[in-house]
Amino acid sequence: MLHTFSTQKWGEYFPDLTQQCAINNLEDGNILYFPSLSFALSPEEQQFLSPDFADPHAKNISYQANCHKLWGFQHLSDTQHTQLKAMLDRFCHSSFDLIKNLLPHYAHQLTIARTSYRPVQISGRKTSYRKDDKRLHVDAFPSAPNQGKRILRVFCNINPNGEDRIWRIGEPFLNVANRFIPQIHKPIPGSAALLRLLKITKSYRTLYDHYMLQMHNLMKADEEYQKAAIQQEIRFPPGSTWIVQTDDVSHAAMQGQYLLEQTFYLPVKAMRDESKSPLCILEKILNQKLV
Ligand code: SIN
Ligand code: FE
């Protein structure tokens, strides 16, 4: 489940064998875990270790590196805005360096998506069941269809008070898919075009996105499944980093505060073994092309 690395620096070099081990483990649905890879904040950045800067309507403070845009915040002066942006930009580049060195096979095909900062305590946060990440789920985004691409995420716990990030990890993707896919109806003809036209989705919601989103929703709605599914608790202490493909690894975040996260998208073609992708697994179960 966890494949552990002794890495201490974001720009560290990895020998060939370690790179191969990393890509195989990741594509097999394991978590690449770096217990000694911390992300240091400068003295000025320590001021952001407070939930007060997060807009209560947004789950996270978000940053998009290619356009230097920050959103989901409140109460930031101009100087603080610049400082927080620089902190998230540095995390984005550090994460990319780690991926480039550890998974060079992926590096030139990755899209750098959103960076997020999560300064709000998860436990006790009230939200609708679909948005509740305390329930086991695979990631799928209602407004941002990824059209089959893999979701690769780097997480780092920066909690200053010794608090672990506590996750539950569920059963392998194939088991999740075999359980939920038979319950999912085909989309209503024309609905994907309409969602696009009404700008509800940022791009076309393919059949793949439809099945992934329905699976995400059905998993979260199923109270019995949440309790009975085979699962394991994992604790990520402060100062640790982990890499997960969250479209494939069933996960739930139960407790913790102050997390940095970087999302990348990866075309299925860039994988060492495409047959392990959620896209290929779903296409096989449904016996049809989904993108
Ligand atoms: C999630 O991806 O479901 C949440 C992860 C986290 O915030 O720890
Ligand atoms: Fe998630």
Side-chain angles (χ1 to χ4, degrees):
M1 178 151 315
L2 289 188
H3 189 78
T4 306
F5 297 80
S6 59
T7 314
Q8 293 182 11
K9 288 199 297 280
W10 291 89
E12 201 157 300
Y13 160 82
F14 297 96
D16 233 34
L17 215 60
T18 311
Q19 293 174 12
Q20 282 173 34
C21 200
I23 199 166
N24 290 338
N25 268 282
L26 194 67
E27 294 191 358
D28 281 339
N30 291 316
I31 296 176
L32 308 185
Y33 178 46
F34 306 83
S36 309
L37 184 58
S38 59
F39 185 77
L41 303 192
S42 69
E44 305 84 69
E45 287 166 351
Q46 310 273 337
Q47 65 180 313
F48 300 121
L49 294 168
S50 153
D52 299 344
F53 297 109
D55 174 350
H57 303 293
K59 265 204 288 200
N60 314 313
I61 298 177
S62 300
Y63 172 70
Q64 183 62 49
N66 58 7
C67 54
H68 297 279
K69 192 175 168 246
L70 189 74
W71 70 100
F73 61 84
Q74 64 176 6
H75 309 321
L76 287 177
S77 68
D78 287 352
T79 310
Q80 288 171 321
H81 187 267
T82 307
Q83 287 169 331
L84 184 55
K85 240 161 65 166
M87 174 176 130
L88 297 191
D89 199 67
R90 197 169 76 252
F91 183 69
C92 174
H93 285 97
S94 301
S95 301
F96 190 52
D97 283 347
L98 176 66
I99 299 284
K100 257 191 327 213
N101 291 335
L102 185 63
L103 304 159
H105 191 72
Y106 288 172
H108 61 285
Q109 307 199 60
L110 283 176
T111 306
I112 300 179
R114 204 188 52 167
T115 314
S116 77
Y117 175 42
R118 309 179 180 189
V120 180
Q121 174 58 248
I122 308 172
S123 64
R125 194 166 60 186
K126 295 267 175 295
T127 167
S128 68
Y129 82 87
R130 283 184 187 180
K131 287 192 180 154
D132 187 0
D133 291 337
K134 296 193 290 304
R135 295 165 188 247
L136 284 169
H137 64 283
V138 288
D139 282 352
F141 312 122
S143 63
N146 60 28
Q147 306 176 329
K149 286 195 207 69
R150 305 302 315 273
I151 304 171
L152 176 64
R153 294 185 137 170
V154 179
F155 297 91
C156 182
N157 183 354
I158 57 166
N159 188 289
N161 312 315
E163 193 183 346
D164 294 346
R165 193 114 187 145
I166 305 178
W167 277 24
R168 289 186 287 145
I169 297 296
E171 57 185 349
F173 185 85
L174 181 62
N175 301 34
V176 177
N178 278 326
R179 177 181 176 117
F180 288 101
I181 290 298
Q183 302 176 32
I184 301 173
H185 299 291
K186 288 195 171 75
I188 300 164
S191 58
L194 190 65
L195 289 169
R196 182 76 197 101
L197 193 72
L198 297 175
K199 298 199 164 62
I200 294 170
T201 53
K202 290 183 195 129
S203 58
Y204 191 79
R205 185 183 285 175
T206 63
L207 279 175
Y208 172 76
D209 295 295
H210 169 78
Y211 283 105
M212 287 298 285
L213 190 60
Q214 292 301 318
M215 198 154 74
H216 165 275
N217 294 347
L218 285 173
M219 287 174 83
K220 282 186 171 176
D222 191 334
E223 302 284 355
E224 192 48 40
Y225 180 75
Q226 291 294 324
K227 285 191 223 114
I230 293 171
Q231 53 193 281
Q232 191 180 326
E233 183 183 279
I234 298 190
R235 290 171 171 260
F236 299 103
S240 71
T241 295
W242 59 106
I243 304 177
V244 198
Q245 291 192 317
T246 51
D247 52 354
D248 149 280
V249 176
S250 165
H251 61 285
M254 307 311 292
Q255 198 182 309
Q257 188 177 10
Y258 306 117
L259 179 86
L260 287 166
E261 174 269 329
Q262 176 63 49
T263 301
F264 300 95
Y265 293 121
L266 181 79
V268 169
K269 277 210 252 343
M271 291 176 67
R272 169 166 287 176
D273 183 351
E274 292 180 38
S275 73
K276 291 176 181 166
S277 65
L279 176 65
C280 290
I281 292 173
L282 295 189
E283 287 186 338
K284 205 163 158 196
I285 294 174
L286 289 156
N287 195 25
Q288 75 177 116
K289 283 273 170 232
L290 297 177
V291 292

